[in-house]
Amino acid sequence: MALVAEEVKARAEVYHGDELCKEKSQLLLKEVGLPNGLLPLQDIEECGYDRETGFVWLKQKKSRTHKFEQIGKLVSYGTEVTAYVEQNKIKRLSGVKAKELFVWIGLSEICVDDPPTGKITFKTPTGLFRSYPVSAFEVEEKVKEVKENKEVHVKETVEVKETNLEEKKRRGMLI
């Protein structure tokens, strides 16, 4: 079942592959003022963004259930997630459900009040809603951590090599 028409794909930014799609979806969320951990999808095959209309889609190999630990909520992401994004808001959301007691309820809208430290509100098509702290949906950026660790490792390696050189010079091993 293809939810995205070819004419939409033709004018959109389209990406393929899990790693690139995760990166692009997190960047988009940050760009529109939403927490970067809002879409914890895995095995993403395709994602796209039509900047003109705000239409976004993500396709993953299989449905996924994720528990947001800070709030203790289970959220189910279907194989295709679509929405329209604008600043601090996701509208006309499809493919996402939250578990409330024993029932899975479809979500239709997500908005952030007073970003970035405020509340994030999830709404259903029937008008029901729940609000939580934005921080419950943020994840640390692993790319920065890896880069910083590499820089520290390189710095330590250079310092060790310089120390070894100085030691050899002191002992008269190097001229």
Side-chain angles (χ1 to χ4, degrees):
M1 179 169 122
L3 295 176
V4 183
E6 289 303 317
E7 66 244 19
V8 173
K9 283 186 176 184
R11 67 174 183 258
E13 300 169 19
V14 182
Y15 304 97
H16 298 276
D18 185 54
E19 198 70 31
L20 181 59
C21 288
K22 282 181 183 177
E23 179 184 327
K24 293 297 182 179
S25 63
Q26 285 187 346
L27 285 172
L28 173 63
L29 288 169
K30 285 176 66 176
E31 184 180 309
V32 297
L34 296 167
N36 65 351
L38 202 53
L39 298 170
L41 305 181
Q42 289 185 338
D43 296 325
I44 305 172
E45 296 175 319
E46 179 182 284
C47 68
Y49 179 38
D50 180 357
R51 289 187 183 276
E52 186 179 313
T53 63
F55 183 68
V56 175
W57 73 92
L58 297 120
K59 293 181 183 181
Q60 57 183 351
K61 290 181 182 177
K62 60 182 183 176
S63 298
R64 178 171 196 262
T65 301
H66 177 78
K67 183 173 185 179
F68 288 97
E69 294 295 334
Q70 285 188 15
I71 59 170
K73 285 290 179 190
L74 281 176
V75 178
S76 172
Y77 298 89
T79 55
E80 294 185 359
V81 175
T82 64
Y84 287 85
V85 295
E86 57 187 52
Q87 196 61 37
N88 300 322
K89 188 180 281 192
I90 294 177
K91 302 185 302 185
R92 294 170 54 188
L93 178 63
S94 72
V96 181
K97 297 176 186 176
K99 192 165 189 179
E100 198 61 46
L101 294 176
F102 301 108
V103 180
W104 287 99
I105 300 173
L107 299 176
S108 60
E109 189 174 308
I110 302 170
C111 58
V112 173
D113 304 316
D114 191 30
T117 58
K119 297 279 185 191
I120 185 166
T121 302
F122 298 84
K123 298 179 183 178
T124 69
T126 60
L128 298 173
F129 67 92
R130 290 253 191 245
S131 295
Y132 303 98
V134 169
S135 61
F137 301 92
E138 292 175 339
V139 294
E140 290 184 33
E141 294 181 37
K142 293 179 182 176
V143 175
K144 281 186 178 179
E145 290 176 17
V146 169
K147 185 177 179 183
E148 288 171 2
N149 287 340
K150 281 184 180 177
E151 289 174 1
V152 168
H153 179 70
V154 168
K155 183 178 178 184
E156 290 171 351
T157 303
V158 169
E159 288 173 356
V160 167
K161 286 182 179 178
E162 288 174 353
T163 303
N164 287 344
L165 253 163
E166 290 171 12
E167 181 65 25
K168 287 179 180 179
K169 282 181 184 178
R170 190 176 62 80
R171 290 184 177 180
M173 297 174 146
L174 290 175
I175 299 176

